[in-house]
Amino acid sequence: MDSLLVSLVVGISSSLFATALFILVSEFFRRKVLPWYGDKIYRGVRIDGDWEVCEFKGVNLKDLKDSAGFIKLSLKQSGDVIEGIYSHKGGDEETDQYVLQGRIRDMYFLATAVPKSNRHVDAITLLLYITNSKSQLIMTGGVTHKSSPGKVDCTLGVEFQWKRT
């Protein structure tokens, strides 16, 4: 009877150990190996880096002195998946930061951003078309955001320019 109990305990514990090992290996493969491989075989445009808005609602912000850092994107890319930080400030306000997640498909960058702070209620979506002008990457399109409680505003004519670092 003792040998039967020992073999039963050994069998159950070894199957639990094998299951845990299989789950750990599969999670490592799903979280590390597949994104790495997807990034290596990706053949589309690379937009990782820092971006700054240069045109907003038809106003060229390159000429304005206080426009530095008005709206910024700091992006990291793995294949067609984009993650990063969206930040903006207006006037003498402090900078609001958002966690951004998105994808690239057919030269369109679609992203959503939610505030980093859980004490801030807001949401932002971006739909930008990626082009190359004068050896410089440019993203143009629209931004949808909360304007006042219960209201949504869409701003078209937003242009981001890649910043060399």
Side-chain angles (χ1 to χ4, degrees):
M1 185 70 177
D2 268 349
S3 65
L4 183 61
L5 184 62
V6 169
S7 64
L8 182 63
V9 169
V10 168
I12 291 172
S13 61
S14 64
S15 69
L16 288 175
F17 177 74
T19 302
L21 185 63
F22 175 75
I23 290 171
L24 288 174
V25 169
S26 65
E27 280 298 305
F28 173 77
F29 192 78
R30 185 180 64 85
R31 292 183 184 191
K32 299 292 182 187
V33 176
L34 288 179
W36 173 84
Y37 181 70
D39 190 44
K40 295 300 175 199
I41 64 170
Y42 177 71
R43 296 290 176 237
V45 66
R46 306 279 322 174
I47 64 168
D48 39 3
D50 294 329
W51 294 77
E52 204 167 276
V53 71
C54 60
E55 188 171 318
F56 191 78
K57 290 186 178 180
V59 176
N60 187 348
L61 299 176
K62 294 176 191 172
D63 303 331
L64 299 177
K65 292 179 183 174
D66 60 345
S67 69
F70 176 55
I71 298 176
K72 287 184 178 180
L73 300 174
S74 181
L75 306 176
K76 293 178 185 159
Q77 182 173 357
S78 177
D80 64 344
V81 177
I82 310 294
E83 295 178 338
I85 301 294
Y86 169 97
S87 59
H88 70 252
K89 65 179 177 181
D92 54 346
E93 297 176 17
E94 61 184 62
T95 302
D96 292 325
Q97 290 193 331
Y98 298 76
V99 177
L100 183 132
Q101 295 179 330
R103 290 191 172 267
I104 295 177
R105 182 168 178 139
D106 300 329
M107 298 299 285
Y108 281 97
F109 173 47
L110 173 64
T112 58
V114 294
K116 265 187 159 181
S117 169
N118 60 357
R119 306 227 181 257
H120 188 121
V121 179
D122 200 358
I124 296 171
T125 61
L126 298 105
L127 179 59
L128 305 168
Y129 184 72
I130 304 163
T131 58
N132 189 0
S133 175
K134 300 177 187 170
S135 299
Q136 183 81 19
L137 281 178
I138 293 175
M139 295 191 293
T140 57
V143 177
T144 306
H145 55 92
K146 175 187 75 85
S147 60
S148 61
K151 305 286 185 198
V152 176
D153 191 17
C154 181
T155 304
L156 300 175
V158 178
E159 184 173 301
F160 288 91
Q161 189 171 26
W162 182 68
K163 302 291 285 182
R164 295 185 193 277
T165 53

